[in-house]
Amino acid sequence: MEFFERFAIPHPSFAIYASMVAAGLTLIAIIAGLTYFKKWGYLWREWLTTVDHKRIGIMYLISALLMLFRGGVDAIMMRAQLAVPDNTLLDSQHYNEIFTTHGVVMILFMAMPFIIFFMNFVVPLQIGARDVAFPRLNALSFWLFFMGAMLFNISFMVGGSPDAGWTSYFPLADGESVGSHYYMIAIQIAGIGTLLTGINFLTTILKMRAPGMTLMKMPMFTWSILITSVIIIFAFPVLTVALAFGTMDLLFGTQFFTLDNGGMAMLWANLFWVWGHPEVYILILPAFGLYSEIISTFARRNLYGYKSMVGSMVLISLLSFVVWAHHFFTMGQGAFANSIFSITTMAIAVPTGVKIFNWLLTLWKGKIEFTTPMLYSILFIPLFTLGGVTGVMLAMSAADYQYHNTMFLVAHFHNVIIPGVVFAMLAGLTYYWPKMFGFMLNERIGKWTAWLLSIGFVLAFIPMYITGLDGQARRMYTYSESTGFGPMNMVSFIGAAIMAVGFVLIVYNIYYSVRYASRDIGADPWDARTLEWATHTPVPHYNFAVTPEVASSEALWDAKKNGHQLFKGEYKKIHMPNNSGVPFIMSCVFFVWGFALIFSLWIPAIITTIAIFVFMTLRSFEIDHGHYISVEEIEDTESEMRGA
Amino acid sequence: MKIDHSLPLEYSTEENRLKIFGFWMFLGAEIMLFATLFATYFTLENRTGNGPTGAEIFVITPVLLETFLLLTSSFTIGLGIHAMRLGRQKAMLWFFGITLALGLGFLGVEIFEFFTYAHEGAGIQTSAFTSILLTTLGTHGAHVTVGLFWGLYIMIQVKKRGLTPETGNKSFIFSLYWHFLDVVWIFIFSFIYLKGML
């Protein structure tokens, strides 16, 4: 390819040009706004260089919400294209790019950061720690994720997006355009960030719990993150290697996934799903953790079957690694292998069922309070169970020959991911919003949102089960009228539009609550049960003035009802890490490095590679012992917080 | 910074204990990385296309030399850590120096080996087998290269700052890394070279 040809969009359309203009204008507006309000220094000191887990968490949240809308626009465009037969809104190439980026953005750049936001914001507070084990590594994790996501997002404007599906199977991902290069390299950069997060949080949870908090006294959300971190550490290196192989095939002409010289395209499918299947449990287990917290809080009961909840999560995490081949039952791996993977897949329904029953039994005889987070959690149970049941249907390998590659499958995984993960994220967002910002989101708008999303979800995805069983293939950009798929797809489009209204309502809710919500809510507005609600709102940067002492898995509840003393002893000086600009700058270099590799610009690629090693060298020699917060300063902050 | 003198230098502060624990977790991820490379190697080892097979290109002498150099270096870094715990800075620096020299020797032989393979028509693009062979060896070699720089930086810091809880901690973590590379090499030696030659 000619040099400049690589940067051109392979299949330009009006929509792409319009979004380029929109992106350009947004960038100009941000730069102008920061300059006009003289906020560059503030941005740098308080956010870009921060190592505070709460702020890093909030930055993850902002990224996740932005990506939710990017992925959502992709979704709407797909449903609009399929709403009527023989539609010409999108051409086939554009459609391919949109379903690919929708999948990648929603899983890796929306759901993952949303979960890591909860990890960052909640876990240290919930275990009574001052920060994570490696605060600076945590900042690096965030910025690597962010740069990876941004790199992936510019693909449709510079060079063209990946178009081989979010699974990017070879030989489809042959790298004829630069889209597949983007896929391999942008996900690699973000993936390294995620791996570091996993290591960081496993260490944090195992080593930094408050005195008295044994493993079996950890709140359920922390348990879910502990197990998620283990899955991350075991699954993400597989992705790293698979993406490295893919990159080398595309850039250096190796023969891993080629069709001749011994290459093996199925190897990609195996490696991808050895990571990809555990990945969906990386998404769902923290969601289960959040539901457990929320359901026990608003049922005003302790969680039923704590030990079986932990046990089922451990079992799910183990099973998640032995089911990957159910993603290609029909690709000729033989009846015996199919049977094994079929049975292990169905086995996952057992521990998941245990969890569902535990939640139901927590609600049983509970004094249920229908707040917005609780509404999401209650809607989740039947909707998610429906998705679980269709999952068992898909797990039957013989029957899968009928469903595979149809809309039935699309309906199934959206049916588990939307009520399972997205609802949990929104429930958790509403639940933890007061802890973050000191005011509640509006309950009335929140409940409207929950109902709109649920109704929209049912309308959008249930029809897909039907058209899927009738044979509507997925990834097909249009269909003829004679298939009879038209009306059902129109219903789907209407459902998607209702969901879009729901998501816009979230933005309106934030705007409305910023303006009108009461700021006088105290530290514990939900009358909750765990430690994160025991400190002030907003949380001081050292989290707890005195390290709490814990005697049960519901430490705050015990303190409130049984008179357990959480905070004992005098203030002592607190050791805190220093801010650093290096994670941000280093990740910017990673961005340039990724861009250079994608377009085979070898000289910048070499320079940035060297620069990355120079940063690591500097880090090796650096002396940074952090700083101390004096007792007087803690006293001042504490009395001010109590006064307010 | 509270220093607990009842513990070895590298474990003597809270931060040090966290770092060692975190590094073990990192090694867990590294095990998965190399496990994936090995699994891929076993999948592709007979898929040689028109290129040479392992039996055709593997030569025992340089491999034995590499094994000898790397295993010895794992022993000397152990002596280095022992010297560090006894507070004998000079001895420790000597043992670290010897370790890095052996590592450099290993890398030299490996580069020579790569040139031989390329000369015999077994480049990284030749076949799926050569792709995974050279990627696996190359990943290990790249780890050794990073280790050489890392070890050198630590030696400079120990020389400049003396044996403090911080430099002791860094040295110990580096030794974990180095031992790990040795373990990986034992797998490469057994399951790639010996298996390929038999």
Side-chain angles (χ1 to χ4, degrees), chain A residues 132-134 195-196 199 202-204 206-208 233-235 237-238 240-242 245 248-249 252-256 260-264 267 271 274 321 575 613 616-617 619-625 628, chain B residues 1-2 14-15 17-23 25-26 28-30 32-34 36-37 39-40 43-44 47-50 124-129 131-132 135 146 150 152-154 156-157 160-161 166 170:
Chain A
V132 295
F134 310 111
L195 177 62
L196 297 177
I199 293 169
L202 188 58
T203 311
T204 306
L206 289 178
K207 288 285 180 186
M208 294 175 73
I233 291 172
F234 281 101
V238 183
T240 304
V241 173
F245 289 164
M248 287 166 72
D249 266 13
F252 309 128
T254 51
Q255 311 285 351
F256 289 105
D260 48 11
N261 295 317
M264 194 182 193
L267 180 66
L271 291 177
V274 168
F321 281 93
H575 182 247
F613 282 103
M616 288 162 81
T617 304
R619 177 59 178 157
S620 173
F621 284 97
E622 193 181 353
I623 302 174
D624 179 5
H625 289 302
Y628 281 96
Chain B
M1 194 78 56
K2 265 212 304 282
E14 179 73 43
E15 196 184 331
R17 289 193 287 274
L18 272 182
K19 282 185 173 161
I20 291 170
F21 187 84
F23 196 77
M25 298 302 111
F26 172 74
E30 287 274 80
M32 280 309 291
L33 187 121
F34 280 102
T36 311
L37 288 170
T40 308
T43 310
L44 298 178
R47 301 177 71 98
T48 51
N50 296 322
I124 200 162
Q125 302 173 335
T126 308
S127 68
F129 163 68
S131 293
I132 185 60
T135 304
V146 169
W150 186 7
L152 185 67
Y153 299 160
I154 286 169
I156 295 169
Q157 288 172 49
K160 267 169 58 181
R161 297 172 196 163
E166 204 189 4
K170 286 183 180 185

Side-chain angles (χ1 to χ4, degrees), chain B residues 6-189:
Chain B
S6 68
L7 293 167
L9 192 61
E10 69 270 18
Y11 284 100
S12 59
T13 68
E14 179 73 43
E15 196 184 331
N16 279 3
R17 289 193 287 274
L18 272 182
K19 282 185 173 161
I20 291 170
F21 187 84
F23 196 77
W24 276 107
M25 298 302 111
F26 172 74
L27 287 183
E30 287 274 80
I31 288 170
M32 280 309 291
L33 187 121
F34 280 102
T36 311
L37 288 170
F38 281 115
T40 308
Y41 179 82
F42 297 140
T43 310
L44 298 178
E45 77 183 313
N46 296 318
R47 301 177 71 98
T48 51
N50 296 322
T53 63
E56 284 165 23
I57 54 170
F58 294 157
V59 185
I60 192 77
T61 319
V63 177
L64 281 178
L65 191 57
E66 284 169 312
T67 310
F68 172 75
L69 289 168
L70 208 60
L71 261 64
T72 313
S73 78
S74 210
F75 177 63
T76 55
I77 202 168
L79 293 176
I81 294 300
H82 188 64
M84 181 196 86
R85 284 181 178 162
L86 297 174
R88 294 173 61 179
Q89 184 180 322
K90 206 168 166 193
M92 180 229 165
L93 284 174
W94 268 106
F95 282 124
F96 265 60
I98 295 168
T99 304
L100 296 183
L102 291 166
L104 195 64
F106 166 85
L107 208 62
V109 180
E110 186 159 62
I111 290 168
F112 162 79
E113 213 186 348
F114 283 6
F115 271 111
T116 320
Y117 291 158
H119 189 70
E120 290 167 347
I124 200 162
Q125 302 173 335
T126 308
S127 68
F129 163 68
T130 59
S131 293
I132 185 60
L133 173 72
L134 293 171
T135 304
T136 309
L137 298 177
T139 308
H140 178 266
H143 274 74
V144 173
T145 313
V146 169
L148 291 179
F149 283 100
W150 186 7
L152 185 67
Y153 299 160
I154 286 169
M155 283 178 69
I156 295 169
Q157 288 172 49
V158 171
K159 181 103 183 119
K160 267 169 58 181
R161 297 172 196 163
L163 283 175
T164 64
E166 204 189 4
T167 54
N169 183 246
K170 286 183 180 185
S171 310
F172 180 73
I173 288 176
F174 175 67
S175 80
L176 291 179
Y177 178 80
W178 198 262
H179 288 310
F180 171 74
L181 293 184
D182 206 13
V183 172
V184 173
W185 179 261
I186 291 167
F187 278 84
I188 291 178
F189 178 73

